[in-house]
Amino acid sequence: MSFFGLDCARKKERELERKLRANDREYNLSFKYATNAIKTSKYNFFTFLPLNLFEQFQRIANAYFLFLLLLQVIPQISSLSWFTTVVPLVLVLSVTAAKDATDDINRHRSDNQVNNRKVQVLIDGKLRSERWMDVQVGDIIKLENNQFVTADLLLLSSSEPLNLIYIETAELDGETNLKVRQALTVTGDLGDTIESLAAFNGEVRCEPPNNRLDRFTGTLTCAGQKYSLDNEKILLRGCTLRNTDWCFGLVLFGGPETKLMQNCGKSTFKRTSIDRLMNVLVLCIFGFLAFMCTILAIGNGIWELNDGSQFTVFLPRQEGTDAAFSAFLTFWSYVIILNTVVPISLYVSVEIIRLGNSFYIDWDRKMYHARSNTPAEARTTTLNEELGQIKYIFSDKTGTLTQNIMTFNKCSINGKSYGDVYDYTGQRLEITDHTETVDFSFNPLADPRFAFHDHALVEAVKLENPEVHAFFRLLALCHTVMPEEKNEGELFYQAQSPDEGALVTAARNFGFVFRSRTPDSVSIVEMGKQRSYELLAILDFNNVRKRMSVIVRSPEGKLSLYCKGADTIVYERLHQSCNKLMDVTTEHLNEFAGEGLRTLALAYKDLDEEYFSQWKQRHHEASTALDDREDRLDQLYEEIEKDLLLLGATAIEDKLQDGVPQTIEQLSKADIKIWVLTGDKQETAENIGYSCNMLREEMNEVFVVSGNTPEDVGRELRNALTTMKPDAAEDAVFQPERTLGKGVRAIRDEVVNGEYGLVINGHSLAYALERSMELDFLRTACMCKAVICCRVTPLQKAQVVELVKKYKQTVTLAIGDGANDVSMIKAAHIGVGISGQEGMQAVLSSDYSFAQFRFLQRLLLVHGRWSYLRMCKFLRYFFYKNFTFTFVHFWYAFFCGFSAQTVYDEWFITLYNLVYTALPVLGMSLFDQDVNDVWSFQHPELYVPGQLNLYFSKTAFFKCALHSGYSSLVLFFIPYAAMYDTVRDDGKDIADYQSFALLTQTCLLITVCIQLGLEMSYWTAVNTFFVLGSLAMYFAVTFTMYSNGMFLILPSSFPFIGTGRNSLNQPNVWLTILLTSILCVLPVVTYRFLLIQLRPTINDKVMFKVRRAKATPPPPPRRTRIRRTSSRRSGYAFSHAQGYGDLVTSGRYLRRPALSRSSGFAHAGRTTTGFSPMGRSAGYSPTGRPQNVKTEDVEVTSLQMYRTVRDPAF
């Protein structure tokens, strides 16, 4: 580590507490805190060349070729010219340097774009526009609506009442619902008065920089008073200010010390399993090279002692040269000659192949999402073949499997179910995009994007059914949604969770429009009449209560309590008279849950005025108590929330992305295990598991691990283990003699009878990931078909991935769409980002990105499998052709006195890998496919050989070396025997070394081209041109180089004058080429024929089917909606955090006075001009972004497919 790095580390260790003073740069600079500039680039103009070359020569192959170049400069040992190594080495270094430079220039641009954003900073009593990079700790800055938060700030004041602001934290935690932050009263009173803010000199003491997003501790000292600071007063870099005109904040952490940057972690250099295997093989090849050179050096020493003295008359030795020294020089000479066992062109070709296969992903129209104009993107070019070996997929839920758009689908009111559509015979119809929707034209304030299909519910509303009216009145009153109405009739709802927004939007469309609220009243429009309810109390939601209630007084003076919550919780508090209604509603709830919907029960009761006044007094005392406040309030809530009367239940769909169940089913058939890691609550995650076909009713058992102590968790895991496999060993069974490096042994897969699922909570997972229990957890989870981890933190997501990587000899993939998935994406072998509702942080950290989860099956089953197959074929063939080329030198050494003379012409050695055999093998590696994409989808089991490393492994490499050994023997001895003591047919010339060299290299080139033809499964015009073109190029170059003209220009460089025309016009030369080629190829053809007949692989079977089908394969089956019936129900997720109840009832207005408005029903017809509703159909999106509207399924042309959709509905 550099001196500066050590200094930085020491500084970080020293900082145990952060101290800063507002508006005092001189004081804050004394602590040397980081500025707000960020730097993700690696090089600058001056350091690029030395640093990049230093990195490149750390690769063992590059260093090896540099060493060879140095050897070739020594004339005593070099029998090859220096250009045979310099040309390829410079080419490789230049290509890699250009790629690294391009990547770093992009990083520089990104850094500059962020660092040069403008923000208003208070300096010397004036607001000045400054660049982000110039902002310092202790500065006060002003943010405006929809601006990104510049650094980690302490909120001082805001434009909103109560010093509130609204922020979107999608870049940080993946949640799209808006969150509220509130400033201290003492700083809130500063307002936007520049003089007051400039005079503010408060001192902050807080925790040092860390990556904890969910907590903050510190104090603010101002005017001699000390105030406590927590997370609710902090704005983190990466958030976006929403629905707030302005706010002021004090910078606490800048640039690399912000929590966002601390959470990004360091990007690790990802390498494929083939890369790691290649490193091992290259080391083995080096060892084998040294072994061959040692044998030949010993041979040279023996030859020099026995026969060498007889040649001194013709070849006088230099002074001081003896047999031992000659053997030493011969060793290094053969190191140079035999270096082609690891040609540098191998690495160039691998990079080109990976780049080409990456372009296929970028260009794939079937992975292009027209609605959002998002193509698939291969952000990393070095991992393509790893996509064909995935065994475990770790997926986020919200926004990845689901759209994070909630839709009001069905409901049950007073024992009657609404939402289904029936035909005239009473048969239930499946709802599609073409099903007729309900006409809400009677309600001008309705959301035009809300879609509902059951006309009976609207009729019940119009007929003024009292239970139906009470049902929707409850939905319009019992919530903590904040309304916004900037223009007449344009309603926007800001909800704590998408579910809340969807329910209030449903009530709005059915004639109960939530219009505005103050801290003590709620105004709604009931069937065209404006009514204001006095809001007396909010009994807020939390994760323990799982319900919320409001107590209101109607305009007529009637007191009522309205309650909504998880059905199991509400049922416990119902009056006995509701038993029959409970039974009917339970049937409906079971039906809703069976369709994967999120359910919620609604109930109410009328209150006695005298009792309520007493209860209100006790509530006031409890809420102001200093001790046991929470417990006392809970007791009061329990007391009043009883003997409720059931109204009904709602069913909300968290819409799955298109094609998710089918994708998961396909991936399961490919023997890929999918684990869902989500921050959502257990009921919701489990419910989505069923609706997307991960968990199924047919499973033998779904284990739920929710213990609160290590002992409970350990017992639950062991019970699950013994249930699945009663005879399971006490300890994990490790792989024999196979390690994953660093002394960690791989755990063997255990087979169980039946299918099982596992659901584990975040707090239980924390214990399960401890060292003493991690193996039990891993064994149990790996035996299950599906695993769902809920309520997990971003760090736990990464820990789960790391655990599987550590103990399983498999390739992992993580897929997510939010910043909370970044650590998981970086930890996995392959990271995939979905560009969706939750910002771009996941995409920026990913290796591959696209718009929809369903594209994952194409990425893996088509592109991944083809990339892996092509790379394996390439490596097998490349090693074959180079080993064969090199081994001929080895056999020739025994016939040339071990003199390090080459078999081939120097120009052939130089051009063999660069020109003659480069394009054919690249053609195969870029265009070959065993079966097309349609057959790949129809037979997902084709993917399995990649997981088992069947196409390229140490065994395959050893077979390849044996095959090369055989071919080299044939290629040397057949031409040698054919040329030995041979003369031309006209008797003019005797065969010599040069004619033998030409014959051998011609046989070699034709043989490797035939071998390539046998490897290729899919011939294209390009492949054919490359193969025939390379042979034509060889003969053209050979005749040119061996011509008289070239010899006359440079006699020393072109000694083979006339060899081409003299040798290649002899019939026996062509017969020798034919015989050699047949003998080389015959064993391969025989072996493959027998293998296909006796032990066909899955590829052989499918390719046989393809040949038999001949015609175009049948189209894939139409997607059908999978309907289930189930006895399980999902709980309703209000939010991950406590609600806004306290803020709503805090005694001051939350918004500036709303516009004066009429009820809206006085207008004739439906006035929706300029209307910008929230939500997609019944859906509700918390960010206010326009949602996707489903378009009709029309056939699109290639031009339309890439056209940006400009329809205003999008």
Side-chain angles (χ1 to χ4, degrees), residues 74-113:
I74 304 168
Q76 287 85 353
I77 62 173
S78 178
S79 55
L80 282 175
S81 302
W82 56 270
F83 58 77
T84 57
T85 300
V86 166
V87 174
L89 181 62
V90 170
L91 184 70
V92 170
L93 295 177
S94 304
V95 168
T96 310
K99 181 171 167 287
D100 291 344
T102 307
D103 289 346
D104 209 57
I105 287 167
N106 290 334
R107 283 192 286 266
H108 271 287
R109 282 179 184 153
S110 173
D111 289 348
N112 289 336
Q113 185 187 354

Side-chain angles (χ1 to χ4, degrees), residues 167-169 175-179 404 495-498 1135 1140 1182-1183:
I167 56 170
E168 179 187 303
T169 61
E175 293 184 25
T176 50
N177 45 292
L178 296 189
K179 301 196 172 52
N404 202 22
Q496 192 179 9
S497 74
S1135 169
Y1140 294 158
T1183 58

Side-chain angles (χ1 to χ4, degrees), residues 169 183 371 402 552 556 594 676 761 828 840 978:
T169 61
R371 204 176 293 154
T402 67
V552 295
E556 295 79 26
V676 171
N761 266 321
M840 293 293 287

Side-chain angles (χ1 to χ4, degrees), residues 834-1024:
I834 288 187
S835 46
Q837 298 262 329
E838 301 186 4
M840 293 293 287
Q841 196 76 16
V843 169
L844 294 174
S845 302
S846 66
D847 305 306
Y848 300 88
S849 68
F850 40 70
Q852 297 274 293
F853 182 82
R854 69 174 187 269
F855 296 147
L856 184 63
Q857 61 176 325
R858 187 166 181 85
L859 183 72
L860 300 187
L861 302 184
V862 178
H863 291 289
R865 201 179 69 81
W866 281 349
S867 294
Y868 173 68
L869 188 68
R870 289 165 181 164
M871 184 59 76
C872 293
K873 277 191 175 185
F874 164 79
L875 291 172
R876 289 200 309 262
Y877 174 73
F878 206 95
F879 281 126
Y880 165 76
K881 77 181 181 68
N882 279 86
F883 282 6
T884 306
F885 174 88
T886 308
F887 288 168
V888 174
H889 280 300
F890 183 76
W891 308 125
Y892 182 60
F894 291 91
F895 295 83
C896 70
F898 304 96
S899 60
Q901 185 183 11
T902 57
V903 179
Y904 320 109
D905 168 26
E906 271 190 10
W907 284 105
F908 180 79
I909 293 171
T910 307
L911 300 176
Y912 177 72
N913 280 310
L914 288 180
V915 177
Y916 300 148
T917 59
L919 288 179
V921 70
L922 282 178
M924 177 185 74
S925 310
L926 290 173
F927 302 115
D928 197 42
Q929 46 182 267
D930 51 352
V931 295
N932 64 22
D933 55 345
V934 177
W935 285 96
S936 296
F937 282 134
Q938 286 187 352
H939 296 277
E941 59 273 16
L942 283 168
Y943 190 82
V944 174
Q947 297 170 335
L948 304 174
N949 290 314
L950 294 184
Y951 295 147
F952 188 74
S953 59
K954 289 174 187 170
T955 309
F957 174 77
F958 182 66
K959 287 179 182 174
C960 174
L962 284 178
H963 181 200
S964 298
Y966 166 78
S967 295
S968 66
L969 281 168
V970 173
L971 283 166
F972 175 73
F973 285 102
I974 300 292
Y976 178 78
M979 285 282 117
Y980 192 73
D981 287 343
T982 305
V983 294
R984 283 172 57 84
D985 54 4
D986 57 9
K988 285 183 179 178
D989 292 302
I990 302 171
D992 58 0
Y993 158 73
Q994 291 188 345
S995 54
F996 166 70
L998 177 65
L999 175 58
T1000 308
Q1001 63 199 36
T1002 307
C1003 288
L1004 170 70
L1005 196 62
I1006 290 173
T1007 299
V1008 295
C1009 283
I1010 294 171
Q1011 183 67 35
L1012 180 80
L1014 292 175
E1015 289 284 347
M1016 205 121 55
S1017 307
Y1018 184 66
W1019 282 87
T1020 64
V1022 178
N1023 292 63
T1024 310

